[in-house]
Amino acid sequence: MDDNQNGIEGERGNCAPAGASTPSGRVGAISKDIAKLTTSNRHLINKSGSNYGLIGIDWQNRELKISIETASEEAVSTIIKF
């Protein structure tokens, strides 16, 4: 993230807060229990019993939402305008 809390093109990672702007869209949900669901590098692996990848398309608002969910909540998502 730069000083204005915008994503930096070419940089990757899940370090932005929910709602932050990114070069291609914005950060969606980030679970308030993310530390319990993820390893220290914040990739959703190992600590959650089940993870599900979802893709949602909102044709009217021209947004693509890519998310990872556990059995009980949306853990993290990214929203991209098209």
Side-chain angles (χ1 to χ4, degrees):
M1 303 296 292
D2 65 17
D3 292 338
N4 295 316
Q5 297 302 305
N6 294 311
I8 300 170
E9 188 169 358
E11 297 296 322
R12 300 286 181 250
N14 184 14
C15 58
S21 297
T22 65
S24 59
R26 67 184 186 278
V27 177
I30 297 178
S31 169
K32 60 186 169 192
D33 295 323
I34 196 78
K36 293 179 184 176
L37 302 175
T38 67
T39 59
S40 61
N41 66 6
R42 296 186 62 149
H43 291 231
L44 274 130
I45 56 175
N46 300 332
K47 291 187 181 178
S48 177
S50 297
N51 292 326
Y52 305 93
L54 291 135
I55 298 174
I57 301 172
D58 181 339
W59 294 103
Q60 187 171 5
N61 292 316
R62 300 182 53 91
E63 292 183 337
L64 174 69
K65 180 178 181 180
I66 303 168
S67 61
I68 297 174
E69 297 193 12
T70 68
S72 61
E73 71 174 316
E74 182 177 299
V76 65
S77 63
T78 299
I79 301 162
I80 302 166
K81 299 289 267 180
F82 63 89

